[in-house]
Structures are given as C-alpha cells and as structure tokens.
Amino acid sequence: MTPLMIGLIVAASVVVVFFIVMAAVIPSMSHDLSMQIKDRSIKANSTLNDLSLKFNVMCDYAEG
C-alpha cells in the first residue's frame, strides 16, 4: 500500500472513533431548558403578501 492509502485509512479510522465517542457521550449530557415570553419580545410585521415574526432570544446560562 502506498503512504497515501495508509493515511486515508488512518484518517477515516480517527473520524469513525470520534463519531462513536460523541454518539456515546452526547446522550448522557442533560440540560434543563426553561423558556418565558416577556413583554415586547415578539414583534410582527405584516405587508400585503407576507407576514413575518421577529423573536428576541436571550440565552442565560447562569443558574436561577
């Protein structure tokens, strides 16, 4: 085998191992998500043919 073929096999093996590890780790992570709608956080814009909504989303990772 040429060095290029060996390199491709090694690279493919590393990618496969990475995906297997991530598939095992990601389901064990748990995050609670709470959502609330505040005043003036949703805006609507209506034209003749189109309707659009704008949501202001804030991510807060601090507890409480």
Side-chain angles (χ1 to χ4, degrees):
M1 290 197 300
T2 65
L4 178 63
M5 292 172 63
I6 294 171
L8 287 174
I9 292 170
V10 170
S13 300
V14 169
V15 170
V16 168
V17 169
F18 174 75
F19 279 114
I20 290 172
V21 169
M22 292 306 290
V25 170
I26 288 177
S28 66
M29 295 179 182
S30 63
H31 296 285
D32 294 331
L33 177 66
S34 60
M35 297 176 62
Q36 52 181 277
I37 299 174
K38 295 185 178 181
D39 292 339
R40 296 181 299 279
S41 64
I42 301 175
K43 297 178 183 178
N45 183 18
S46 178
T47 60
L48 185 60
N49 295 324
D50 296 321
L51 176 69
S52 64
L53 293 175
K54 178 182 177 184
F55 295 91
N56 293 329
V57 177
M58 180 180 69
C59 295
D60 184 10
Y61 293 106
E63 293 189 15

